[in-house]
C-alpha cells in the first residue's frame, strides 16, 4: 500500500468538521471555474475541462443536503422504493412465451419476464368456456324447476356473483404469485397435507372432462341422426369426432398457456358468432308472452337455483382461477382483472341461461329434455338441416372447456410429484377422462349431467371456502420458497384445515339428493336430521352452499393467528 495516505486509510483523509462560519466561507459568491486535470491512459499530456458552478452553497435546512445543488442544475428526483424481492423490469425486457414450445413451469412460479398479460385477456380466456351449451342447460333446468323468467335472471346473477369469491380471489392470488391454485393451497393445507385436496382436484378434472366429451357425443349423435320428440332423446356412445376433439384439446393443453391464450381467443370469437346463430335459428321456438306468464317459484326453489348456478358455473372452475392468471402482469390493477373476469364468466352465462329458460317456458312439454340434454332436444326441434350450427357450437364450447380442464388437471398432477412434468399430467388427465367414458364406467349423459356436477362440487366447495377465506385474510404474497419445499414458513400438514376439508365434504354429500347410479349413496344425513328426503328443502341440495359457508367461516373464526405466524416466519429475502 502506498504511504501517500495515513495507515488504515485507502483515500484522502476527510476534512475536519467546520463551523457555520467556515460553511459561509465555502460559499462561492461569484462564478468560478474549476480546472479538472485528466491524464490520458496513453501517457500523453494532461487535458483540462472547465466546469462552471454558479451560486453554489451549503445550508443546514436538511440533514442530507439533498437540495444543496448549483443554481440552474436540476434537483435530484426521488425514485419510488420497492421491496427487497421486487424485480423491476422495463417494457423491453418483457416477452411472451413461444406458442409452440411446451410450457415448462408447473410448481415453480411463472418468470416475471413472461407475465405480460393484461386484465382484458381474462375476458377472452373465460368467455369461450362459459358461452356453452352447459349454460343453456342450466337456464333450462332453472325454468323446469318452477322459476319465473325474472327469478331465473335474479338467481343467475346471484350465482355468478357468488362464483366470483373463489374465482376472483384465485385470480388475484395467481396474479400476485404466478403459481397454480393447487400449489398456492399448500399454504392452506400444508406442503404434504395438500396432497389430499390435490388428488380430489385431479379427479374432478377427469370427471368434468368425461362429462364434456359425453355432451359433445350427444351433439354429434343428434346432428347426424336427430331423435324424434315422440321417443325423446337418448344417450349414445361417444362417437369418433368427440374423441378427435379430445386429442386436439390434449395437444393444445400439452403446449400450455401460450398456445391456449391464442386458441381461446379464436374460440371466443367463434363461440360468440355461433351463439348468435343458434339463438336466431331457434327464435321461432320462443314465445315471450307465454314465458312471462309463468308464476314465481317458492323461496326454496330460488335457493336451489342459486346452488345450481354456483355448482355448474362457479365451483366447476374454481380450481382453475389462478391457473389462467399466472401470466398476468403485476403492473395493472387487480380490481380491473376481476371486472374482466366477471364479464367473461357472467355475460355469456347470463345470456344463455335466460335463453334456455325462455325455451323451456315456451316449450313446456319438452322442458325435461331441454333441462338435461339441450343439444339433442334442440336438434329435434329445429327444422331439418339446421342442426349443424348447433353441432359447431357444441364442438367449439366443449373444446374450449376441455382445454382448460386438461390444463388444470396437468397442473394438479404435476403438484403431486416434483418429478412429474406438467405435460405428462395433461396426458394422465386425458386418459382418465377417456376411461370414464367406457361403457363399464356407467356414465350416461342424462344421469351424469343431473347429479355429477353437484357431487363433484362438494369437495371443491370445501376446498374453495377454506382457500378463499385465507387468501382474503393474507396481507402479503405467499412465500414461494416455502411453497416449493418443506421446512419453510408452511407446515407439512395443517391438521385443522385438512380435517375441516374431509369433515365438510362428508357433511355436504350427506345433504345432496340421491341420484342415479354412482350417486345413489348421497343424502344419508337427511333422515337423521329429520329432513324429508323428498321434500322441498332437500330438493335444493343444501349441502353445496352449507359446505362453502363452513369453509369460509373456519379460517375467519379460527385461522387468522396461524396465518399471521406464517407471514412472520417468512425469510427476509422472500418478504414483500
Amino acid at each position: 500500500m502506498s504511504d501517500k495516505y495515513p495507515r488504515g486509510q485507502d483515500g484522502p483523509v476527510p476534512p475536519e468538521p467546520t463551523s457555520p462560519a467556515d460553511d459561509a466561507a465555502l460559499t462561492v459568491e461569484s462564478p468560478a471555474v474549476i480546472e479538472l486535470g485528466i491524464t490520458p491512459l496513453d501517457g500523453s499530456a494532461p487535458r483540462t475541462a472547465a466546469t462552471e458552478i454558479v451560486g453554489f452553497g451549503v445550508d443546514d435546512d436538511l440533514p442530507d443536503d439533498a437540495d444543496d445543488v448549483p443554481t440552474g442544475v436540476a434537483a435530484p428526483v426521488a425514485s419510488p422504493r420497492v421491496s427487497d424481492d421486487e424485480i423491476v423490469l422495463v417494457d423491453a425486457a418483457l416477452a411472451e412465451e413461444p406458442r409452440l414450445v411446451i410450457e415448462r413451469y408447473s410448481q415453480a412460479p411463472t418468470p416475471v419476464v413472461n407475465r405480460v398479460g393484461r386484465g382484458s385477456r381474462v375476458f377472452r380466456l373465460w368467455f369461450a368456456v362459459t358461452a356453452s351449451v352447459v349454460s343453456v342447460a342450466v337456464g333450462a333446468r332453472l325454468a323446469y324447476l318452477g322459476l319465473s323468467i325474472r327469478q331465473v335472471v335474479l338467481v343467475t346473477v346471484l350465482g355468478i356473483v357468488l362464483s366470483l369469491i373463489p374465482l376472483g380471489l384465485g385470480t388475484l392470488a395467481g396474479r400476485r404469485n404466478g403459481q397454480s391454485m393447487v400449489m398456492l393451497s399448500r399454504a392452506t393445507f400444508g406442503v404434504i397435507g395438500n396432497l389430499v385436496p390435490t388428488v380430489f382436484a385431479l379427479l374432478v378434472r377427469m370427471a368434468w372432462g368425461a362429462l364434456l366429451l359425453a355432451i359433445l357425443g350427444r351433439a354429434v349423435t343428434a346432428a347426424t341422426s336427430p331423435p324424434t320428440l315422440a321417443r325423446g332423446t337418448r344417450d349414445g356412445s361417444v362417437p369418433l369426432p368427440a374423441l378427435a376433439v379430445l386429442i386436439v384439446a390434449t395437444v393444445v393443453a400439452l403446449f400450455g398457456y401460450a398456445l391456449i391464450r391464442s386458441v381461446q381467443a379464436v374460440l371466443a370469437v367463434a363461440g360468440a358468432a355461433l351463439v348468435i346463430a343458434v339463438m336466431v335459428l331457434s327464435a321461432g321456438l320462443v314465445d315471450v308472452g307465454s314465458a312471462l306468464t309463468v308464476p314465481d317459484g317458492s323461496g326454496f326453489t330460488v335457493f336451489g337455483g342459486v346452488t345450481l348456478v354456483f355448482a355448474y358455473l362457479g365451483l366447476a372452475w374454481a380450481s382453475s382461477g389462478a391457473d389462467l392468471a399466472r401470466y398476468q402482469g403485476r403492473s395493472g390493477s387487480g380490481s380491473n382483472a376481476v371486472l374482466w373476469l366477471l364479464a367473461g364468466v357472467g355475460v355469456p352465462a347470463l345470456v344463455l341461461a335466460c335463453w334456455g329458460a325462455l325455451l323451456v317456458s315456451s316449450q313446456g312439454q319438452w322442458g325435461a329434455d331441454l333441462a338435461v340434454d339441450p343439444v339433442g332436444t334442440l336438434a329435434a326441434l329445429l327444422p331439418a338441416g339446421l342442426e349443424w350450427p348447433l353441432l359447431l357450437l357444441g364442438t367449439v364450447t366443449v373444446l374450449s372447456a376441455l382445454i382448460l380442464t386438461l390444463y388444470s388437471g396437468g397442473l394438479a398432477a404435476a403438484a403431486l410429484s416434483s418429478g412429474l412434468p406438467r405435460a405428462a399430467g395433461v396426458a394422465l388427465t386425458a386418459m382418465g377422462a377417456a376411461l370414464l367414458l367406457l361403457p363399464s364406467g356407467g356414465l350416461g349423459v342424462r344421469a351424469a349431467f343431473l347429479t355429477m356436477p353437484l357431487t363433484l362440487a362438494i369437495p371443491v366447495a370445501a376446498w374453495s371456502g377454506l382457500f378463499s377465506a385465507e387468501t382474503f385474510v393474507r396481507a402479503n404474497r405467499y412465500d414461494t420458497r416455502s411453497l416449493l419445499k418443506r421446512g419453510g414458513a408452511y407446515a407439512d400438514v395443517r391438521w385443522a384445515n385438512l380435517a375441516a376439508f374431509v369433515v365438510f365434504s362428508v357433511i355436504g354429500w350427506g345433504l345432496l339428493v340421491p341420484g342415479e347410479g354412482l350417486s345413489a349413496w348421497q343424502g344419508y344425513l337427511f333422515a337423521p336430521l329429520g329432513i324429508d328426503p323428498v321434500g322441498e328443502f332437500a330438493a335444493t341440495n343444501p349441502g353445496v352452499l352449507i359446505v362453502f359457508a363452513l369453509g369460509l367461516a373456519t379460517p375467519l373464526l379460527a385461522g387468522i393467528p396461524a396465518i399471521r405466524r406464517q407471514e412472520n416466519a417468512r425469510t427476509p429475502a422472500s418478504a414483500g
Side-chain angles (χ1 to χ4, degrees), residues 423-479:
V426 170
L428 177 64
T429 307
M431 287 189 293
L435 288 174
L436 287 176
L437 287 170
L438 294 176
S440 59
L443 182 64
V445 180
R446 295 170 63 91
F449 188 80
L450 282 173
T451 59
M452 193 185 76
L454 291 169
T455 302
L456 298 176
I458 291 298
V460 178
W463 177 89
S464 297
L466 293 164
F467 176 82
S468 298
E470 288 214 348
T471 301
F472 179 77
V473 169
R474 292 183 187 276
N476 300 315
R477 291 197 300 270
Y478 290 89
D479 183 359

Short mmCIF file of all heavy atoms in Angstrom, two decimals, residues 423-479:
data_model
loop_
_atom_site.label_atom_id
_atom_site.label_comp_id
_atom_site.label_asym_id
_atom_site.label_seq_id
_atom_site.Cartn_x
_atom_site.Cartn_y
_atom_site.Cartn_z
N ALA A 423 -46.70 -31.71 -18.75
CA ALA A 423 -47.24 -32.33 -19.96
C ALA A 423 -47.69 -33.76 -19.70
O ALA A 423 -48.72 -34.21 -20.22
CB ALA A 423 -46.19 -32.29 -21.08
N ALA A 424 -46.93 -34.49 -18.88
CA ALA A 424 -47.34 -35.85 -18.53
C ALA A 424 -48.62 -35.83 -17.71
O ALA A 424 -49.48 -36.71 -17.85
CB ALA A 424 -46.22 -36.54 -17.76
N GLY A 425 -48.79 -34.80 -16.86
CA GLY A 425 -50.03 -34.66 -16.10
C GLY A 425 -51.22 -34.41 -17.00
O GLY A 425 -52.32 -34.91 -16.74
N VAL A 426 -51.03 -33.63 -18.08
CA VAL A 426 -52.11 -33.41 -19.04
C VAL A 426 -52.52 -34.72 -19.69
O VAL A 426 -53.72 -35.03 -19.82
CB VAL A 426 -51.67 -32.39 -20.11
CG1 VAL A 426 -52.69 -32.32 -21.25
CG2 VAL A 426 -51.48 -31.01 -19.48
N ALA A 427 -51.53 -35.51 -20.12
CA ALA A 427 -51.83 -36.80 -20.75
C ALA A 427 -52.56 -37.72 -19.77
O ALA A 427 -53.50 -38.44 -20.15
CB ALA A 427 -50.54 -37.44 -21.24
N LEU A 428 -52.15 -37.70 -18.50
CA LEU A 428 -52.81 -38.53 -17.48
C LEU A 428 -54.26 -38.11 -17.30
O LEU A 428 -55.16 -38.96 -17.20
CB LEU A 428 -52.05 -38.41 -16.17
CG LEU A 428 -52.64 -39.15 -14.96
CD1 LEU A 428 -52.62 -40.65 -15.19
CD2 LEU A 428 -51.86 -38.81 -13.69
N THR A 429 -54.52 -36.80 -17.27
CA THR A 429 -55.90 -36.32 -17.13
C THR A 429 -56.75 -36.72 -18.32
O THR A 429 -57.91 -37.12 -18.17
CB THR A 429 -55.91 -34.79 -16.98
OG1 THR A 429 -55.02 -34.41 -15.92
CG2 THR A 429 -57.30 -34.27 -16.65
N ALA A 430 -56.19 -36.62 -19.53
CA ALA A 430 -56.93 -37.00 -20.74
C ALA A 430 -57.26 -38.49 -20.73
O ALA A 430 -58.38 -38.89 -21.08
CB ALA A 430 -56.11 -36.64 -21.97
N MET A 431 -56.32 -39.31 -20.31
CA MET A 431 -56.59 -40.75 -20.25
C MET A 431 -57.66 -41.06 -19.21
O MET A 431 -58.53 -41.92 -19.43
CB MET A 431 -55.30 -41.51 -19.95
CG MET A 431 -54.32 -41.55 -21.11
SD MET A 431 -52.91 -42.66 -20.81
CE MET A 431 -52.07 -41.78 -19.49
N GLY A 432 -57.61 -40.38 -18.07
CA GLY A 432 -58.64 -40.60 -17.07
C GLY A 432 -60.02 -40.22 -17.57
O GLY A 432 -61.00 -40.95 -17.32
N ALA A 433 -60.13 -39.10 -18.29
CA ALA A 433 -61.42 -38.70 -18.85
C ALA A 433 -61.91 -39.71 -19.87
O ALA A 433 -63.10 -40.05 -19.90
CB ALA A 433 -61.29 -37.31 -19.49
N ALA A 434 -61.01 -40.22 -20.70
CA ALA A 434 -61.40 -41.20 -21.71
C ALA A 434 -61.86 -42.50 -21.06
O ALA A 434 -62.83 -43.13 -21.50
CB ALA A 434 -60.24 -41.45 -22.67
N LEU A 435 -61.20 -42.94 -19.99
CA LEU A 435 -61.58 -44.18 -19.33
C LEU A 435 -62.97 -44.08 -18.71
O LEU A 435 -63.71 -45.07 -18.68
CB LEU A 435 -60.55 -44.54 -18.26
CG LEU A 435 -59.19 -45.03 -18.77
CD1 LEU A 435 -58.22 -45.22 -17.62
CD2 LEU A 435 -59.35 -46.33 -19.55
N LEU A 436 -63.32 -42.90 -18.20
CA LEU A 436 -64.65 -42.74 -17.61
C LEU A 436 -65.76 -42.82 -18.65
O LEU A 436 -66.93 -42.96 -18.29
CB LEU A 436 -64.74 -41.40 -16.88
CG LEU A 436 -63.98 -41.31 -15.56
CD1 LEU A 436 -64.07 -39.90 -14.99
CD2 LEU A 436 -64.53 -42.31 -14.55
N LEU A 437 -65.38 -42.72 -19.92
CA LEU A 437 -66.38 -42.80 -20.98
C LEU A 437 -66.66 -44.23 -21.42
O LEU A 437 -67.58 -44.47 -22.21
CB LEU A 437 -65.92 -41.99 -22.20
CG LEU A 437 -66.00 -40.48 -22.02
CD1 LEU A 437 -65.29 -39.78 -23.16
CD2 LEU A 437 -67.44 -40.02 -21.94
N LEU A 438 -65.88 -45.20 -20.95
CA LEU A 438 -66.11 -46.58 -21.35
C LEU A 438 -67.45 -47.06 -20.80
O LEU A 438 -67.91 -46.62 -19.75
CB LEU A 438 -65.00 -47.48 -20.81
CG LEU A 438 -63.61 -47.22 -21.41
CD1 LEU A 438 -62.59 -48.12 -20.72
CD2 LEU A 438 -63.61 -47.48 -22.90
N PRO A 439 -68.12 -47.96 -21.51
CA PRO A 439 -69.42 -48.46 -21.03
C PRO A 439 -69.37 -48.99 -19.61
O PRO A 439 -70.32 -48.87 -18.85
CB PRO A 439 -69.76 -49.57 -22.03
CG PRO A 439 -69.00 -49.20 -23.28
CD PRO A 439 -67.74 -48.55 -22.81
N SER A 440 -68.23 -49.58 -19.22
CA SER A 440 -68.14 -50.13 -17.87
C SER A 440 -68.16 -49.04 -16.81
O SER A 440 -68.40 -49.31 -15.64
CB SER A 440 -66.85 -50.95 -17.73
OG SER A 440 -65.71 -50.13 -17.99
N GLY A 441 -67.86 -47.79 -17.23
CA GLY A 441 -67.89 -46.71 -16.27
C GLY A 441 -69.29 -46.31 -15.86
O GLY A 441 -69.48 -45.62 -14.87
N GLY A 442 -70.30 -46.70 -16.62
CA GLY A 442 -71.67 -46.40 -16.26
C GLY A 442 -72.03 -44.94 -16.35
O GLY A 442 -72.90 -44.47 -15.61
N LEU A 443 -71.37 -44.17 -17.21
CA LEU A 443 -71.62 -42.74 -17.29
C LEU A 443 -72.61 -42.46 -18.41
O LEU A 443 -72.27 -42.46 -19.57
CB LEU A 443 -70.30 -41.99 -17.55
CG LEU A 443 -70.40 -40.47 -17.61
CD1 LEU A 443 -70.84 -39.91 -16.26
CD2 LEU A 443 -69.06 -39.87 -18.00
N GLY A 444 -73.87 -42.23 -18.05
CA GLY A 444 -74.88 -41.81 -19.01
C GLY A 444 -74.99 -40.30 -19.00
O GLY A 444 -74.90 -39.68 -17.94
N VAL A 445 -75.22 -39.69 -20.16
CA VAL A 445 -75.20 -38.24 -20.25
C VAL A 445 -76.29 -37.63 -19.38
O VAL A 445 -76.06 -36.70 -18.61
CB VAL A 445 -75.37 -37.79 -21.72
CG1 VAL A 445 -75.34 -36.28 -21.81
CG2 VAL A 445 -74.27 -38.40 -22.57
N ARG A 446 -77.50 -38.13 -19.50
CA ARG A 446 -78.62 -37.54 -18.77
C ARG A 446 -78.42 -37.66 -17.26
O ARG A 446 -78.52 -36.67 -16.52
CB ARG A 446 -79.93 -38.21 -19.19
CG ARG A 446 -80.31 -37.98 -20.64
CD ARG A 446 -81.49 -38.88 -21.04
NE ARG A 446 -82.68 -38.55 -20.28
CZ ARG A 446 -83.61 -37.67 -20.67
NH1 ARG A 446 -83.45 -37.01 -21.79
NH2 ARG A 446 -84.67 -37.44 -19.93
N ALA A 447 -78.13 -38.86 -16.79
CA ALA A 447 -77.96 -39.08 -15.35
C ALA A 447 -76.74 -38.32 -14.82
O ALA A 447 -76.79 -37.72 -13.75
CB ALA A 447 -77.83 -40.57 -15.05
N ALA A 448 -75.67 -38.35 -15.60
CA ALA A 448 -74.45 -37.70 -15.15
C ALA A 448 -74.63 -36.19 -15.08
O ALA A 448 -74.16 -35.54 -14.14
CB ALA A 448 -73.29 -38.06 -16.08
N PHE A 449 -75.30 -35.60 -16.07
CA PHE A 449 -75.45 -34.16 -16.07
C PHE A 449 -76.33 -33.68 -14.92
O PHE A 449 -76.15 -32.58 -14.41
CB PHE A 449 -76.04 -33.70 -17.41
CG PHE A 449 -76.04 -32.20 -17.57
CD1 PHE A 449 -74.89 -31.53 -17.95
CD2 PHE A 449 -77.18 -31.46 -17.32
CE1 PHE A 449 -74.89 -30.15 -18.09
CE2 PHE A 449 -77.19 -30.09 -17.45
CZ PHE A 449 -76.03 -29.44 -17.84
N LEU A 450 -77.27 -34.50 -14.50
CA LEU A 450 -78.16 -34.11 -13.42
C LEU A 450 -77.48 -34.17 -12.06
O LEU A 450 -77.76 -33.35 -11.18
CB LEU A 450 -79.39 -35.02 -13.40
CG LEU A 450 -80.48 -34.72 -14.44
CD1 LEU A 450 -81.54 -35.80 -14.41
CD2 LEU A 450 -81.10 -33.36 -14.19
N THR A 451 -76.59 -35.13 -11.84
CA THR A 451 -76.08 -35.37 -10.49
C THR A 451 -74.59 -35.16 -10.34
O THR A 451 -74.14 -34.72 -9.28
CB THR A 451 -76.42 -36.81 -10.06
OG1 THR A 451 -75.83 -37.73 -10.99
CG2 THR A 451 -77.92 -37.03 -10.04
N MET A 452 -73.80 -35.49 -11.36
CA MET A 452 -72.35 -35.49 -11.18
C MET A 452 -71.78 -34.12 -10.83
O MET A 452 -70.92 -34.03 -9.94
CB MET A 452 -71.66 -36.05 -12.43
CG MET A 452 -70.19 -36.38 -12.20
SD MET A 452 -69.34 -36.89 -13.69
CE MET A 452 -69.13 -35.31 -14.50
N PRO A 453 -72.18 -33.01 -11.49
CA PRO A 453 -71.60 -31.71 -11.11
C PRO A 453 -71.84 -31.34 -9.65
O PRO A 453 -70.98 -30.74 -9.02
CB PRO A 453 -72.32 -30.73 -12.06
CG PRO A 453 -72.63 -31.55 -13.26
CD PRO A 453 -73.01 -32.89 -12.71
N LEU A 454 -73.01 -31.71 -9.11
CA LEU A 454 -73.27 -31.42 -7.70
C LEU A 454 -72.41 -32.29 -6.79
O LEU A 454 -71.91 -31.83 -5.76
CB LEU A 454 -74.75 -31.63 -7.39
CG LEU A 454 -75.70 -30.61 -8.03
CD1 LEU A 454 -77.15 -31.08 -7.89
CD2 LEU A 454 -75.52 -29.24 -7.40
N THR A 455 -72.25 -33.56 -7.15
CA THR A 455 -71.40 -34.44 -6.37
C THR A 455 -69.96 -33.93 -6.34
O THR A 455 -69.30 -33.89 -5.29
CB THR A 455 -71.43 -35.87 -6.94
OG1 THR A 455 -72.79 -36.34 -6.96
CG2 THR A 455 -70.59 -36.82 -6.10
N LEU A 456 -69.46 -33.53 -7.50
CA LEU A 456 -68.10 -33.01 -7.59
C LEU A 456 -67.96 -31.67 -6.90
O LEU A 456 -66.87 -31.30 -6.44
CB LEU A 456 -67.69 -32.87 -9.06
CG LEU A 456 -67.65 -34.15 -9.90
CD1 LEU A 456 -67.31 -33.82 -11.34
CD2 LEU A 456 -66.65 -35.14 -9.33
N ALA A 457 -69.06 -30.91 -6.82
CA ALA A 457 -68.99 -29.57 -6.23
C ALA A 457 -68.73 -29.60 -4.73
O ALA A 457 -68.23 -28.61 -4.19
CB ALA A 457 -70.30 -28.82 -6.51
N ILE A 458 -69.05 -30.70 -4.05
CA ILE A 458 -68.93 -30.73 -2.59
C ILE A 458 -67.47 -30.58 -2.14
O ILE A 458 -67.15 -29.65 -1.36
CB ILE A 458 -69.56 -32.01 -2.03
CG1 ILE A 458 -71.09 -31.97 -2.20
CG2 ILE A 458 -69.21 -32.18 -0.56
CD1 ILE A 458 -71.76 -30.83 -1.47
N PRO A 459 -66.53 -31.43 -2.56
CA PRO A 459 -65.15 -31.22 -2.10
C PRO A 459 -64.56 -29.92 -2.63
O PRO A 459 -63.74 -29.29 -1.94
CB PRO A 459 -64.39 -32.44 -2.65
CG PRO A 459 -65.23 -32.94 -3.78
CD PRO A 459 -66.64 -32.64 -3.40
N VAL A 460 -64.99 -29.49 -3.82
CA VAL A 460 -64.50 -28.22 -4.35
C VAL A 460 -65.01 -27.05 -3.51
O VAL A 460 -64.29 -26.08 -3.26
CB VAL A 460 -64.91 -28.05 -5.83
CG1 VAL A 460 -64.44 -26.70 -6.36
CG2 VAL A 460 -64.33 -29.16 -6.69
N ALA A 461 -66.25 -27.15 -3.04
CA ALA A 461 -66.81 -26.10 -2.18
C ALA A 461 -66.04 -26.01 -0.86
O ALA A 461 -65.74 -24.91 -0.37
CB ALA A 461 -68.29 -26.35 -1.92
N ALA A 462 -65.72 -27.16 -0.26
CA ALA A 462 -64.96 -27.16 0.99
C ALA A 462 -63.57 -26.57 0.77
O ALA A 462 -63.10 -25.72 1.54
CB ALA A 462 -64.86 -28.59 1.54
N TRP A 463 -62.90 -27.02 -0.29
CA TRP A 463 -61.55 -26.52 -0.61
C TRP A 463 -61.59 -25.02 -0.92
O TRP A 463 -60.76 -24.25 -0.43
CB TRP A 463 -61.02 -27.31 -1.79
CG TRP A 463 -59.68 -26.88 -2.29
CD1 TRP A 463 -58.46 -27.33 -1.86
CD2 TRP A 463 -59.42 -25.93 -3.31
NE1 TRP A 463 -57.46 -26.71 -2.56
CE2 TRP A 463 -58.02 -25.84 -3.46
CE3 TRP A 463 -60.24 -25.14 -4.12
CZ2 TRP A 463 -57.42 -24.99 -4.38
CZ3 TRP A 463 -59.64 -24.28 -5.03
CH2 TRP A 463 -58.25 -24.22 -5.15
N SER A 464 -62.56 -24.59 -1.74
CA SER A 464 -62.65 -23.19 -2.15
C SER A 464 -62.95 -22.28 -0.97
O SER A 464 -62.40 -21.18 -0.87
CB SER A 464 -63.73 -23.03 -3.22
OG SER A 464 -63.42 -23.76 -4.38
N GLY A 465 -63.82 -22.71 -0.08
CA GLY A 465 -64.14 -21.89 1.07
C GLY A 465 -62.93 -21.65 1.96
O GLY A 465 -62.63 -20.52 2.35
N LEU A 466 -62.21 -22.72 2.28
CA LEU A 466 -61.02 -22.59 3.13
C LEU A 466 -59.95 -21.74 2.45
O LEU A 466 -59.36 -20.84 3.06
CB LEU A 466 -60.47 -23.98 3.45
CG LEU A 466 -61.35 -24.87 4.34
CD1 LEU A 466 -60.90 -26.32 4.27
CD2 LEU A 466 -61.30 -24.37 5.78
N PHE A 467 -59.67 -22.01 1.19
CA PHE A 467 -58.63 -21.28 0.46
C PHE A 467 -59.01 -19.81 0.27
O PHE A 467 -58.17 -18.91 0.45
CB PHE A 467 -58.39 -21.95 -0.88
CG PHE A 467 -57.40 -21.22 -1.76
CD1 PHE A 467 -56.03 -21.40 -1.57
CD2 PHE A 467 -57.82 -20.36 -2.76
CE1 PHE A 467 -55.11 -20.72 -2.36
CE2 PHE A 467 -56.91 -19.68 -3.55
CZ PHE A 467 -55.55 -19.87 -3.35
N SER A 468 -60.27 -19.55 -0.10
CA SER A 468 -60.70 -18.17 -0.36
C SER A 468 -60.61 -17.32 0.90
O SER A 468 -60.16 -16.18 0.86
CB SER A 468 -62.13 -18.16 -0.90
OG SER A 468 -62.21 -18.86 -2.13
N ALA A 469 -61.05 -17.86 2.04
CA ALA A 469 -61.01 -17.10 3.28
C ALA A 469 -59.57 -16.78 3.68
O ALA A 469 -59.26 -15.66 4.09
CB ALA A 469 -61.72 -17.87 4.40
N GLU A 470 -58.68 -17.75 3.55
CA GLU A 470 -57.28 -17.49 3.90
C GLU A 470 -56.64 -16.49 2.95
O GLU A 470 -55.84 -15.65 3.35
CB GLU A 470 -56.50 -18.80 3.90
CG GLU A 470 -56.84 -19.71 5.06
CD GLU A 470 -55.64 -20.50 5.55
OE1 GLU A 470 -54.61 -20.51 4.83
OE2 GLU A 470 -55.71 -21.09 6.65
N THR A 471 -56.97 -16.57 1.66
CA THR A 471 -56.44 -15.61 0.70
C THR A 471 -56.91 -14.20 1.03
O THR A 471 -56.15 -13.23 0.93
CB THR A 471 -56.88 -15.99 -0.72
OG1 THR A 471 -56.42 -17.31 -1.03
CG2 THR A 471 -56.32 -15.02 -1.75
N PHE A 472 -58.15 -14.08 1.45
CA PHE A 472 -58.70 -12.77 1.81
C PHE A 472 -57.99 -12.19 3.03
O PHE A 472 -57.76 -10.98 3.12
CB PHE A 472 -60.21 -12.91 2.06
CG PHE A 472 -60.87 -11.63 2.47
CD1 PHE A 472 -61.17 -10.65 1.54
CD2 PHE A 472 -61.19 -11.40 3.81
CE1 PHE A 472 -61.78 -9.47 1.93
CE2 PHE A 472 -61.80 -10.22 4.20
CZ PHE A 472 -62.10 -9.25 3.25
N VAL A 473 -57.63 -13.05 3.98
CA VAL A 473 -57.02 -12.58 5.22
C VAL A 473 -55.56 -12.20 5.03
O VAL A 473 -55.06 -11.29 5.69
CB VAL A 473 -57.16 -13.68 6.30
CG1 VAL A 473 -56.32 -13.36 7.52
CG2 VAL A 473 -58.63 -13.84 6.69
N ARG A 474 -54.87 -12.85 4.13
CA ARG A 474 -53.43 -12.64 3.98
C ARG A 474 -53.12 -11.21 3.57
O ARG A 474 -53.74 -10.66 2.66
CB ARG A 474 -52.83 -13.61 2.96
CG ARG A 474 -52.86 -15.05 3.42
CD ARG A 474 -52.21 -16.00 2.45
NE ARG A 474 -52.42 -17.37 2.88
CZ ARG A 474 -51.66 -17.99 3.78
NH1 ARG A 474 -50.63 -17.36 4.30
NH2 ARG A 474 -51.94 -19.22 4.15
N ALA A 475 -52.10 -10.63 4.23
CA ALA A 475 -51.70 -9.26 3.93
C ALA A 475 -50.59 -9.21 2.89
O ALA A 475 -50.40 -8.18 2.24
CB ALA A 475 -51.22 -8.56 5.20
N ASN A 476 -49.83 -10.29 2.72
CA ASN A 476 -48.69 -10.31 1.82
C ASN A 476 -48.81 -11.47 0.83
O ASN A 476 -49.66 -12.35 0.98
CB ASN A 476 -47.38 -10.46 2.60
CG ASN A 476 -47.17 -9.32 3.57
OD1 ASN A 476 -47.36 -8.16 3.23
ND2 ASN A 476 -46.77 -9.65 4.79
N ARG A 477 -47.93 -11.43 -0.14
CA ARG A 477 -47.88 -12.54 -1.09
C ARG A 477 -47.40 -13.80 -0.38
O ARG A 477 -46.79 -13.77 0.68
CB ARG A 477 -46.92 -12.20 -2.24
CG ARG A 477 -47.42 -11.12 -3.17
CD ARG A 477 -46.65 -11.13 -4.48
NE ARG A 477 -45.23 -10.91 -4.29
CZ ARG A 477 -44.67 -9.71 -4.29
NH1 ARG A 477 -45.40 -8.63 -4.46
NH2 ARG A 477 -43.36 -9.58 -4.13
N TYR A 478 -47.66 -14.95 -1.03
CA TYR A 478 -47.19 -16.22 -0.49
C TYR A 478 -45.67 -16.29 -0.59
O TYR A 478 -45.05 -15.68 -1.47
CB TYR A 478 -47.81 -17.38 -1.26
CG TYR A 478 -49.29 -17.56 -1.04
CD1 TYR A 478 -50.21 -16.91 -1.84
CD2 TYR A 478 -49.77 -18.40 -0.04
CE1 TYR A 478 -51.57 -17.07 -1.65
CE2 TYR A 478 -51.13 -18.57 0.17
CZ TYR A 478 -52.02 -17.90 -0.64
OH TYR A 478 -53.36 -18.06 -0.45
N ASP A 479 -45.09 -17.05 0.32
CA ASP A 479 -43.64 -17.28 0.31
C ASP A 479 -43.35 -18.41 -0.67
O ASP A 479 -43.62 -19.59 -0.40
CB ASP A 479 -43.17 -17.65 1.72
CG ASP A 479 -41.67 -17.82 1.80
OD1 ASP A 479 -40.99 -17.67 0.76
OD2 ASP A 479 -41.17 -18.09 2.90
#
